[in-house]
Amino acid sequence: MCGIVGYIGTKKASPILINGLLKLEYRGYDSAGISTIEKYGVSNLKNKGRVANLYDLEGINDLEGTVGIAHTRWATHGKPSKENSHPHLDNSNTFAVVHNGIIENYSDLRKFLSDNGYIFLSQTDTEVIPNLIHYYFSKDTNNDNKKFLRAVNSACKDLKGSFAIEVISKLYPDVMIVARKDSPLVIGTTETENYISSDIPAILSFTKNFYLLNDNEFVEVYKDKVVFYDNDLSIINKPIKNIDWDASAAEKDGYEDFMLKEIYEQPNTVRETIGSRIKKGEKCAFDDLELSKEYLSSINKIYIVACGTAMHAGLASKKTFEELTNIPVEVDIASEFRYRNPLINSKTLVIFISQSGETADTIAALKLSRSKGAKTIAVSNVIGSSITREADYTIYTHAGPEIAVASTKAYTSQVVLLDILAIHFAEILGSYDTKLLENLKNDILELPTKIDKVLENIDIVKDLANKVYTEKDMYFLGRGIDYTVALEASLKLKEISYIHSDAYAAGELKHGPIALIENGVTVIGILTDKNLVEKSISNIQEVITRGAKTFIISNQDVNNKNFDYVLNIPDTNAFISPILSIIPLQLFAYYISKNKGLDVDKPRNLAKSVTVE
Ligand code: M6R
């Protein structure tokens, strides 16, 4: 859960590297560092704290090198400190390495290297890598021009766990070696410069041409060429992928924070997700999916597996899949699913959702499902991400880069995409009334305009956030699909405001949680499902009786019910209501966090991409 950047070209590397790190800071932000190849050897400037602190490091402005690597850290092994910051050097200061991932067998490797005379200066797992490279380099008697590459390759073969690494050496000032296994890495390429990064947005302003690395690939990156090798160091051909994201999508565009920008992008991002998948009067189209009626009729279960917000998107679409296709759906947390020996076989379809496409647990659950014979579909936002390369099929949300750690636009795009997928299945199977499907598709097409309306009417949200931001606990209630939104709203609040909150199915309240309700506590109710609204109102009356202050999001007429605050949102089909009802609650969390003076985009202890389990 760190970010790495590399540059090799004709310009001074350090400003490019620091600028890239600033864009990757969402991946980790407790320490940062940079190494470049200078006339005297490999520089190494680093410290704990934010990337911007690099500007204050003595010597940073003296760096002249045109080849360099850099790292922003989210500590796993060893607390944030200068010693534990990357880059790490070998004992002879010949090789510098930045690493994203976890080396699971680092204690064994450390012991092996210590027994061979190596000394360790940090508590990190990473420090074994430059020393292992040095170990293999010094043992290699063949002094040809592949010696550096061979040493990196041999070192990596000893590593258990996950890694994306960049390595530079004072002995080879014209080349950088990069490699990956289970951690993301891309190379942005031009004729005279190459950029390496943990993700595409950080280097999107330099090029739209990318190489996407696969596991166990090794690369020699020169300023004017890139050579790919497999694990046995045979040369492989790698096509360039053109990524047509708009570079400004990775900038704040005048918004105070990425999260706010991403919330306001939702009319557009949902429009992009719908794209040409729904056209009036036609059946839904998914270019990249080839699932026959025979296959869909043969499956007896759909699993939807994901983590965090992506898992909540799965929960929000369960009802749509079940009602439209008559196939039972189970939604599971990837970290649970992968270790509970789930019942999967060739009659199971497993859908994996991951904005980043790099979440370690989700990837592991995907590999497990494939090994048990299930067909798999990846739902991702990041083109070429790991999950998309593992799954049988991939469908993209096309929401553009999501930078804020708290996921917003990815969620609404995931929900709408899954709902369209459910319609697609129903159309193939003929399992649902075609007129009702047509109505649902029309309602989906109206979503962008309705999201605009929600975003125009948020004064109550701001006002309430201003009143309650000092509170310690809040509760979210809903039934059915509204309960799934309560779960997502509660996650949003806790992750960026650090206020404790919980979500409950409204009918479950009496079975315990109501004991928590006391005078003045804030309870937020989501009431959009016509069939369940009256039931939920009764539950909320019970908390009012016990002194709770209530904030209701509803598309029904729920005024005059003694609620303290009511926010009316546009009515829509019950299947897709989460796409509208979550938006005020994303903003509620956002404004509470702002009122508390917190860093909305980079909440404490969290990273955007969870590439370790
Ligand atoms: O990239 P992914 O969608 O796989 O990420 C999954 C979760 O880590 C993510 O949704 C997380 O819960 C968000 N920070 C929530 O806002």
Side-chain angles (χ1 to χ4, degrees), residues 166-211:
E166 298 168 351
V167 193
I168 53 173
S169 169
K170 66 178 181 187
L171 303 177
Y172 298 86
D174 300 327
V175 66
M176 178 186 308
I177 309 282
V178 306
R180 70 156 265 177
K181 182 181 162 283
D182 293 333
S183 285
L185 201 64
V186 298
I187 301 172
T189 188
T190 75
E191 277 179 13
T192 53
E193 296 168 302
N194 284 301
Y195 302 83
I196 301 93
S197 172
S198 298
D199 78 12
I200 292 166
I203 49 177
L204 200 55
S205 56
F206 301 114
T207 179
K208 290 201 178 338
N209 291 328
F210 285 85
Y211 293 109

Side-chain angles (χ1 to χ4, degrees), residues 354-375:
S354 175
Q355 187 285 131
S356 63
E358 302 295 346
T359 299
D361 283 317
T362 310
I363 296 169
L366 168 48
K367 288 181 179 164
L368 173 80
S369 304
R370 289 201 67 183
S371 73
K372 289 183 171 235
K375 250 198 209 333

Side-chain angles (χ1 to χ4, degrees), residues 257-557:
D257 307 275
F258 279 111
M259 182 177 175
L260 191 62
K261 177 189 167 223
E262 287 159 8
I263 291 172
Y264 275 88
E265 277 175 346
Q266 289 176 105
N268 245 334
T269 49
V270 166
R271 195 175 285 117
E272 288 292 322
T273 305
I274 300 169
S276 55
R277 286 162 175 151
I278 296 183
K279 285 191 190 134
K280 272 195 192 290
E282 292 180 24
K283 288 192 172 173
C284 289
F286 279 86
D287 294 342
D288 305 327
L289 272 186
E290 283 159 19
L291 298 177
S292 63
K293 181 169 183 178
E294 193 190 8
Y295 167 72
L296 285 175
S297 313
S298 77
I299 57 176
N300 52 27
K301 181 149 200 175
I302 298 176
Y303 276 110
I304 302 180
V305 181
C307 300
T309 290
M311 194 274 293
H312 292 156
L315 287 174
S317 67
K318 173 181 159 86
K319 175 184 162 79
T320 322
F321 275 105
E322 288 196 332
E323 288 199 21
L324 268 48
T325 68
N326 286 322
I327 303 171
V329 175
E330 198 173 321
V331 181
D332 211 344
I333 298 167
S335 56
E336 292 292 313
F337 182 85
R338 65 181 285 196
Y339 290 118
R340 74 173 172 82
N341 198 12
L343 297 173
I344 308 172
N345 54 36
S346 59
K347 293 194 167 165
T348 324
L349 172 66
V350 196
I351 302 174
F352 295 89
I353 315 168
S354 175
Q355 187 285 131
S356 63
E358 302 295 346
T359 299
D361 283 317
T362 310
I363 296 169
L366 168 48
K367 288 181 179 164
L368 173 80
S369 304
R370 289 201 67 183
S371 73
K372 289 183 171 235
K375 250 198 209 333
T376 55
I377 300 179
V379 174
S380 184
N381 196 34
V382 179
I383 294 165
S385 57
S386 300
I387 180 184
T388 69
R389 282 179 272 163
E390 294 286 343
D392 294 309
Y393 302 101
T394 295
I395 51 178
Y396 286 107
T397 40
H398 297 308
E402 190 180 66
I403 308 292
V405 166
S407 185
T408 53
K409 64 176 182 174
Y411 169 82
T412 44
S413 284
Q414 286 158 354
V415 178
V416 79
L417 184 56
L418 290 163
D419 286 339
I420 301 172
L421 186 65
I423 299 172
H424 180 54
F425 285 5
E427 285 177 338
I428 294 173
L429 288 165
S431 51
Y432 202 70
D433 184 289
T434 45
K435 180 86 189 85
L436 294 179
L437 285 182
E438 224 32 61
N439 293 345
L440 176 55
K441 288 196 271 186
N442 288 335
D443 289 331
I444 291 177
L445 289 171
E446 283 173 10
L447 277 172
T449 315
K450 290 185 176 173
I451 298 172
D452 264 327
K453 292 217 166 75
V454 177
L455 289 167
E456 279 163 16
N457 178 27
I458 54 125
D459 288 350
I460 295 180
V461 174
K462 273 189 179 170
D463 183 33
L464 185 61
N466 203 17
K467 291 194 168 92
V468 301
Y469 73 92
T470 54
E471 291 181 10
K472 295 271 175 281
D473 306 284
M474 291 190 202
Y475 299 98
F476 292 83
L477 301 180
R479 279 173 182 257
I481 206 159
D482 292 330
Y483 170 49
T484 73
V485 175
L487 288 164
E488 171 57 10
S490 172
L491 173 65
K492 220 79 307 167
L493 181 68
K494 60 188 120 185
E495 74 175 322
I496 61 168
S497 76
Y498 317 150
I499 292 175
H500 166 258
S501 77
D502 256 320
Y504 295 108
E508 188 64 10
L509 212 58
K510 284 199 270 304
H511 301 282
I514 200 163
L516 296 165
I517 304 300
E518 56 186 7
N519 217 15
V521 75
T522 297
V523 173
I524 297 121
I526 302 133
L527 313 183
T528 71
D529 186 335
K530 289 183 191 61
N531 298 324
L532 298 170
V533 160
E534 286 307 322
K535 305 263 177 220
S536 295
I537 290 176
S538 306
N539 298 131
I540 294 171
Q541 295 303 335
E542 289 159 10
V543 300
I544 293 176
T545 310
R546 285 154 184 87
K549 160 162 93 277
T550 50
F551 173 34
I552 305 300
I553 310 285
S554 184
N555 54 19
Q556 307 297 304
D557 181 10

Side-chain angles (χ1 to χ4, degrees), residues 39-243:
K39 289 202 180 78
Y40 57 83
V42 176
S43 69
N44 189 21
L45 298 175
K46 56 190 191 177
N47 209 347
K48 70 174 185 181
R50 284 289 171 85
V51 170
N53 297 353
L54 287 175
Y55 290 120
D56 302 329
L57 289 182
E58 207 186 318
I60 197 86
N61 295 323
D62 304 331
L63 299 178
E64 295 293 340
T66 57
V67 181
I69 57 178
H71 187 269
T72 180
R73 180 168 186 247
W74 189 85
T76 53
H77 294 72
K79 63 179 193 251
S81 69
K82 182 173 176 182
E83 295 68 39
N84 290 335
S85 308
H86 300 218
H88 288 284
L89 270 57
D90 69 300
N91 286 175
S92 70
N93 291 347
T94 304
F95 302 102
V97 172
V98 289
H99 164 225
N100 170 31
I102 287 189
I103 306 305
E104 289 163 4
N105 59 337
Y106 82 101
S107 317
D108 295 345
L109 294 171
R110 219 172 146 113
K111 172 151 189 337
F112 167 78
L113 288 164
S114 301
D115 291 348
N116 280 279
Y118 288 85
I119 293 164
F120 289 90
L121 309 172
S122 76
Q123 288 90 50
T124 64
D125 52 341
T126 302
E127 204 185 352
V128 297
I129 304 175
N131 286 311
L132 264 184
I133 294 171
H134 178 269
Y135 172 81
Y136 284 110
F137 189 83
S138 55
K139 291 267 176 270
D140 192 341
T141 50
N142 186 352
N143 277 323
D144 65 0
N145 62 0
K146 292 280 170 284
K147 189 171 173 177
F148 180 20
L149 177 68
R150 273 198 305 276
V152 175
N153 176 257
S154 302
C156 287
K157 283 184 168 160
D158 284 351
L159 306 178
K160 292 208 173 95
S162 57
F163 56 84
I165 55 167
E166 298 168 351
V167 193
I168 53 173
S169 169
K170 66 178 181 187
L171 303 177
Y172 298 86
D174 300 327
V175 66
M176 178 186 308
I177 309 282
V178 306
R180 70 156 265 177
K181 182 181 162 283
D182 293 333
S183 285
L185 201 64
V186 298
I187 301 172
T189 188
T190 75
E191 277 179 13
T192 53
E193 296 168 302
N194 284 301
Y195 302 83
I196 301 93
S197 172
S198 298
D199 78 12
I200 292 166
I203 49 177
L204 200 55
S205 56
F206 301 114
T207 179
K208 290 201 178 338
N209 291 328
F210 285 85
Y211 293 109
L212 309 173
L213 263 72
N214 286 326
D215 281 351
N216 299 313
E217 287 181 351
F218 293 79
V219 194
E220 286 173 334
V221 190
Y222 300 86
K223 67 179 179 199
D224 52 1
K225 67 173 179 184
V226 186
V227 189
F228 289 87
Y229 298 87
D230 66 14
N231 209 14
D232 299 323
L233 297 187
S234 301
I235 291 191
I236 47 178
N237 279 327
K238 170 83 54 182
I240 290 182
K241 192 141 192 133
N242 185 266
I243 304 286

